[in-house]
Amino acid sequence: MTEKRSPLPTLQGPRIRLRPHREDDLAAFFALYSDPEAMRYWSFPAWTDIAQARDRFAAALLSPGVDGTHAWAVAGADDALIGGLTLFSIDGAQRRAEIGYALQSAHWGRGYAQEAMRLAIEYAFDALRLRRIEADIDPRNQGSCRLVERIGFVREGLLRQRWLVAGEITDTALYGLLQEDWHRRAQQT
Ligand SMILES: CC(C)(COP(=O)(O)OP(=O)(O)OC[C@H]1O[C@@H](n2cnc3c(N)ncnc32)[C@H](O)[C@@H]1OP(=O)(O)O)[C@@H](O)C(=O)NCCC(=O)NCCS
């Protein structure tokens, strides 16, 4: 019997929303992943040709798709795509997943990422019933480290030379957030 997956929901925050991708997001999607500043610590180099967007954009349109990846568009007040937030490597038996996120650099520094993360994490722990979320971050990526620490992720270790991107070998700071920690913090605030 094949498992029936729920469609990707729209999650509404005060200033931003997480919503499914739409066909007319392609230009903004490409703009995000071709922004060298936003891709500085990413797992692949900034795109230079819109053809490079094709496979990833097609998968985003089909999300949650066959592997269950939840790929949301982060949208601002006018509903245009300004970023992406993805729950991936979702392991239903272990009830854990990884989280990835990026905003176009023009939108940094306003708390949008924190708002987007809180919406996705709430959904992951409550609706998907996950119990652990991991973030794999280049330790030099201070903005990302600060973001997850602010939310309550714990830096659990350093994985040496884990990535090779555009000829550069880099480490991973592995962060983890447990459902029990998230709920305990929610009760304290
Ligand atoms: C990481 C990223 C998503 C942060 O987005 P953002 O919307 O600017 O983050 P927020 O405004 O919600 O900030 C959250 C916290 O991180 C801090 N922060 C954000 N960027 C920072 C930076 N460059 N240096 C230091 N702190 C930073 C903020 O001050 C805030 O902390 P505070 O609440 O104590 O003030 C954004 O910089 C980005 O898209 N980077 C490129 C993609 C990327 O590297 N993704 C992560 C891959 S692991």
Side-chain angles (χ1 to χ4, degrees):
M1 194 173 82
T2 49
E3 189 190 337
K4 190 171 179 317
R5 288 192 196 286
S6 304
L8 196 69
T10 293
L11 306 175
Q12 184 67 52
R15 295 177 300 165
I16 56 99
R17 56 173 21 193
L18 302 185
R19 61 158 175 78
H21 288 81
R22 302 185 307 239
E23 296 280 357
D24 65 353
D25 287 329
L26 177 60
F29 189 84
F30 175 65
L32 172 63
Y33 294 102
S34 59
D35 176 348
E37 209 180 346
M39 294 296 99
R40 173 64 188 92
Y41 301 114
W42 203 248
S43 51
F44 54 79
W47 292 334
T48 52
D49 189 311
I50 199 159
Q52 294 170 286
R54 196 184 52 204
D55 291 351
R56 192 168 278 256
F57 188 63
L61 286 174
L62 291 175
S63 176
V66 280
D67 66 357
T69 294
H70 284 49
W72 281 283
V74 179
D78 61 359
D79 212 29
L81 182 151
I82 60 167
L85 194 150
T86 306
L87 284 171
F88 61 104
S89 301
I90 297 179
D91 186 325
Q94 298 305 319
R95 293 171 47 209
R96 67 171 133 77
E98 292 187 54
I99 196 162
Y101 39 85
L103 295 181
Q104 291 168 354
S105 47
H107 299 278
W108 293 358
R110 298 179 203 166
Y112 288 168
Q114 198 176 145
E115 197 175 313
M117 290 282 276
R118 289 184 185 281
L119 290 169
I121 290 167
E122 197 77 44
Y123 183 78
F125 286 148
D126 291 351
L128 299 179
R129 307 202 58 74
L130 299 183
R131 51 173 201 88
R132 176 181 162 84
I133 299 175
E134 297 173 354
D136 171 335
I137 302 177
D138 185 320
R140 298 171 301 172
N141 190 349
Q142 289 182 17
S144 187
C145 291
R146 176 75 199 132
L147 167 68
V148 297
E149 285 164 9
R150 188 85 166 83
I151 287 167
F153 280 76
V154 173
R155 189 168 181 150
E156 296 174 335
L158 184 77
L159 285 59
R160 297 174 306 155
Q161 299 194 5
R162 187 149 193 267
W163 292 95
L164 174 58
V165 179
E168 186 182 33
I169 295 173
T170 59
D171 298 338
T172 283
L174 188 70
Y175 282 86
L177 178 69
L178 303 184
Q179 182 197 40
E180 61 199 48
D181 295 344
W182 174 258
H183 285 143
R184 192 178 322 115
R185 277 173 73 105
Q187 279 162 10
Q188 287 165 357
T189 53

